[in-house]
Amino acid sequence: MKRIALGAFALFAIGTGPVLAADLPARIYTKAIAPMVPSWTGCYVGGNIGYGWQRTSTTDVDPSNAGFFSDVGRDTGSGVVGGGQVGCDYQFAGNWVVGIQGMFDGADVKGSHIDPFAYSRDTSEYHAAKADWLATLTARLGYSVTPDILLYVKGGGAWVHDTVTDADPVAFAGGFPAYSGQATSTRAGWTVGAGGEYRFTANWSVFAEYDYIGLGSKTSGYTYNCGAGCGFPDPYLYSDRNNFQTVLVGLNYRFGGPVVARY
């Protein structure tokens, strides 16, 4: 009887095995979900602070100088700069980023040098230049070396508000009084720069960059406080050639750019 029972059970198992297998659910294959990373696409606003220096070369070009254009010296002024920036970026083709940025900084960058051709025939006459603000409007091109690190170059237009001075606090016995003359203007030029930006949260990033501003030469009429008693033309024409450089660090707040899948 045991042999008959075992044989019957074996036949039943063989006959029902395929039916049970057919009733099992099919295996489902799923594709791995790509990690989500933040994009640099979006707009931002922030602040910056740093150090600036301005190279100024001055030439006497007044017609009263009988065409003898004299180099009256040069200096490098320096000081603190700081202000704010606003811009927008767009990330494309994987890691490339393009953008536009406007920046406005106050400045306290000033320097002076002695005029070697002083009317008083001594070393008391000096020329000075002081920049009190600068602004740039630039395009940016960057590459995101990691999702949170962006290296970039920038270039565009620049403006610097300058006051240049020619002064001699010592009266000359030959008839020239002590005097001070100035010319103020907003110089327009071009700028190029490079830097890096690190995003440490979804919305906040820090950056550091170097910028060069070329302003070329500008001829200005200096207006003096001695008027007709100066003993020389008033206004008097000088040509000043300037370039401006800055090193800045800053902080940006980014307005929630999209999060994208990175396969």
Side-chain angles (χ1 to χ4, degrees):
M1 292 298 291
K2 290 182 179 179
R3 291 179 180 177
I4 295 172
L6 290 173
F9 179 78
L11 290 172
F12 176 79
I14 293 171
T16 59
V19 175
L20 293 174
D23 291 337
L24 293 175
R27 181 175 295 177
I28 300 174
Y29 294 91
T30 59
K31 185 177 182 180
I33 299 175
M36 305 300 287
V37 297
S39 168
W40 289 94
T41 298
C43 296
Y44 59 89
V45 63
N48 69 79
I49 191 167
Y51 183 79
W53 59 101
Q54 178 175 245
R55 181 70 170 171
T56 305
S57 302
T58 305
T59 304
D60 184 340
V61 296
D62 196 84
S64 68
N65 205 16
F68 178 67
F69 295 169
S70 56
D71 180 355
V72 295
R74 58 195 52 82
D75 62 78
T76 300
S78 60
V80 176
V81 298
Q85 64 280 339
V86 61
C88 293
D89 290 322
Y90 175 71
Q91 187 165 346
F92 69 102
N95 294 345
W96 290 98
V97 178
V98 293
I100 187 169
Q101 182 188 81
M103 180 178 288
F104 183 90
D105 281 7
D108 186 24
V109 176
K110 52 191 174 183
S112 63
H113 63 272
I114 298 299
D115 189 333
F117 302 106
Y119 284 106
S120 56
R121 305 297 190 270
D122 59 19
T123 58
S124 58
E125 184 178 0
Y126 67 90
H127 288 262
K130 181 181 184 299
D132 51 23
W133 62 258
L134 62 140
T136 61
L137 180 61
T138 56
R140 297 204 312 172
L141 174 64
Y143 187 82
S144 182
V145 295
T146 75
D148 292 319
I149 297 177
L150 177 69
L151 301 180
Y152 61 86
V153 294
K154 58 188 292 189
W159 300 263
V160 177
H161 190 260
D162 256 325
T163 298
V164 285
T165 300
D166 169 35
D168 192 338
V170 178
F172 177 44
F176 293 108
Y179 57 82
S180 177
Q182 291 184 333
T184 300
S185 64
T186 299
R187 307 284 298 274
W190 53 270
T191 181
V192 294
E197 190 166 357
Y198 171 65
R199 180 171 45 206
F200 59 92
T201 73
N203 298 102
W204 291 97
S205 63
V206 293
F207 70 91
E209 70 178 45
Y210 163 81
D211 298 300
Y212 180 93
I213 298 174
L215 297 171
S217 298
K218 180 178 177 61
T219 297
S220 304
Y222 287 41
T223 302
Y224 290 82
N225 60 355
C226 50
C230 288
F232 52 82
D234 182 16
Y236 195 92
L237 299 180
Y238 284 102
S239 175
D240 295 288
R241 184 175 185 84
N242 300 73
N243 64 63
F244 201 99
Q245 301 175 71
T246 60
V247 174
L248 302 173
V249 295
L251 180 70
N252 286 326
Y253 179 80
R254 293 184 165 270
F255 296 98
V259 177
V260 298
R262 186 66 57 85
Y263 292 96

